[in-house]
Amino acid sequence: MLFFANAVDAFLTYMGVTAGKIKEANPLMKNVVNDPILLFAVKILLPFTVIFIVLGFCTERSKDFSQITVFLLNAAIIIYASVLFLHAYWLFITS
């Protein structure tokens, strides 16, 4: 789910920025958004790395840590989904 949300978000962001309909507000992504290959690489590799690290901790730690991790991953999915819908909405109202 997280990868799908990131890929769609990258696509919508790239389309919106290149069409001049939206501007990238994230200062860390402003220089990345104009290069589609770099944008998709960052959007896919960053969550993959985070999930890989988190899953590594889950297998090595206690059940309590795993429950906290699941909660945080679910929160991340909700945040990503919210941003995704926000980008889709902005593109919809500006077209």
Side-chain angles (χ1 to χ4, degrees):
M1 177 71 173
L2 196 56
F3 293 115
F4 176 74
N6 265 319
V8 173
D9 178 51
F11 176 75
L12 291 175
T13 300
Y14 180 74
M15 295 303 291
V17 169
T18 56
K21 296 185 181 282
I22 62 172
K23 293 182 181 180
E24 178 60 56
N26 182 343
L28 299 174
M29 295 298 289
K30 277 189 178 185
N31 295 328
V32 175
V33 76
N34 292 318
D35 181 352
I37 294 172
L38 185 58
L39 176 65
F40 278 93
V42 169
K43 287 286 197 174
I44 299 302
L45 290 177
L46 185 62
F48 176 77
T49 304
V50 170
I51 289 172
F52 181 75
I53 291 169
V54 166
L55 289 177
F57 279 117
C58 284
T59 59
E60 296 175 11
R61 305 285 182 190
S62 69
K63 184 177 179 180
D64 292 334
F65 184 80
S66 294
Q67 290 174 340
I68 292 169
T69 304
V70 169
F71 172 78
L72 292 175
L73 285 174
N74 285 331
I77 290 170
I78 290 169
I79 291 168
Y80 272 108
S82 299
V83 170
L84 172 65
F85 287 120
L86 184 61
H87 285 178
Y89 174 73
W90 285 340
L91 287 175
F92 178 74
I93 63 169
T94 59
S95 46

